[in-house]
Amino acid sequence: MLRFLPAAALILALVTTPVTAAPETPAVPDAALQADLHCAAAFAIAASEQARGSAAALALPPLAVRGKRFFADVGARAVEQGGMTQEAVRNLLVAEVTAMQRRAATDPNRELVAEVRPCLARLDAAVPPLQTPDLAQCAAILTLAWEEERAKGPEGAAARDLRTLAQVLTARARDGFIASGKSGDGADAAVESAREAMRSEAANRPGGVNNYDIAHCYDLAAPDAKSHY
């Protein structure tokens, strides 16, 4: 059974893009914008269900990053180009989520898929699908995440976990380069090159490492079936 977050809390939690002041007279979204707002609400629900571990939601593409970006972009566009007030956008999104909850009463899982599937083409057009990183890129991503967490202060549990994952992926990436014919020094250089390339992306590319399917990195760091660490 889908345990949707309260609609207002869900919308407020996901709207992160600052919006500018709009005209006092409320505006009505055109058909295209209305459809985008409907899809934004559907993605918000699906993302929350994926975070909860719902099997039906997890069968959909990952939406934690791309869905949130779509949601924020559509909300900003509704105000800046559609002439809606921020409150009007929020109220419309809350109404959309409430309507979806009502329709989901009899078969929540089927309703979730029915709401999200038709919206995926809009998502792909607005927010490109996440790139699947390879081992070396994953090692770089989690190394950067560890460095960022460590910079916050004394190394806590989160930083230690990231360090462990980064070390596992780095070792596996190095072994992979050696298996492909590189020397030990060559493998080290390839790992370092991937790390510097990712560091440059994080600093200069819009979205940075969030353009990658980071969940895939955690899968690559999982223990081998016959080993423990």
Side-chain angles (χ1 to χ4, degrees), residues 66 69 123-131 205 211:
R66 296 175 68 220
R69 189 179 305 173
L123 177 66
D124 289 343
V127 184
L130 297 177
Q131 298 172 240
R205 181 184 178 188
N211 291 297

Side-chain angles (χ1 to χ4, degrees), residues 1-225:
M1 186 70 172
L2 294 183
R3 295 176 294 184
F4 293 159
L5 292 174
L10 181 61
I11 300 304
L12 289 172
L14 289 179
V15 174
T16 59
T17 299
V19 293
T20 57
E24 292 184 4
T25 302
V28 177
D30 61 27
L33 181 56
Q34 177 73 50
D36 280 344
L37 288 165
H38 171 83
C39 288
F43 294 150
I45 292 174
S48 71
E49 288 300 298
Q50 287 178 342
R52 193 178 64 79
S54 161
L58 290 172
L60 297 166
L63 292 166
V65 175
R66 296 175 68 220
K68 185 174 181 178
R69 189 179 305 173
F70 181 94
F71 191 107
D73 289 348
V74 169
R77 178 156 47 85
V79 172
E80 294 165 3
Q81 299 176 21
M84 300 178 68
T85 64
Q86 183 172 1
E87 183 179 7
V89 173
R90 183 178 293 115
N91 289 344
L92 189 152
L93 288 167
V94 170
E96 288 281 358
V97 172
T98 301
M100 291 181 205
Q101 290 175 315
R102 187 166 53 249
R103 291 193 295 272
T106 55
D107 192 338
N109 292 331
R110 185 176 67 180
E111 180 61 26
L112 179 69
V113 174
E115 295 287 359
V116 173
R117 288 266 179 223
C119 290
L120 293 177
R122 288 180 178 272
L123 177 66
D124 289 343
V127 184
L130 297 177
Q131 298 172 240
T132 301
D134 59 25
L135 260 175
Q137 289 172 322
C138 281
I141 288 169
L142 289 187
T143 296
L144 296 184
W146 167 50
E147 292 174 351
E148 182 177 327
E149 188 67 28
R150 184 182 56 183
K152 296 177 182 178
E155 189 172 73
R160 289 193 296 271
D161 289 344
L162 287 169
R163 179 183 61 187
T164 299
L165 292 172
Q167 289 171 339
V168 168
L169 288 170
T170 297
R172 290 180 179 179
R174 186 178 186 277
D175 289 346
F177 284 126
I178 291 174
S180 69
K182 291 186 182 294
S183 66
D185 288 344
D188 289 338
V191 168
E192 182 61 27
S193 176
R195 184 178 303 159
E196 290 308 308
M198 191 60 65
R199 198 183 304 279
S200 177
E201 280 203 57
N204 302 310
R205 181 184 178 188
V209 300
N210 287 326
N211 291 297
Y212 291 89
D213 180 5
I214 298 176
H216 178 65
C217 296
Y218 290 93
D219 293 337
L220 292 180
D224 292 329

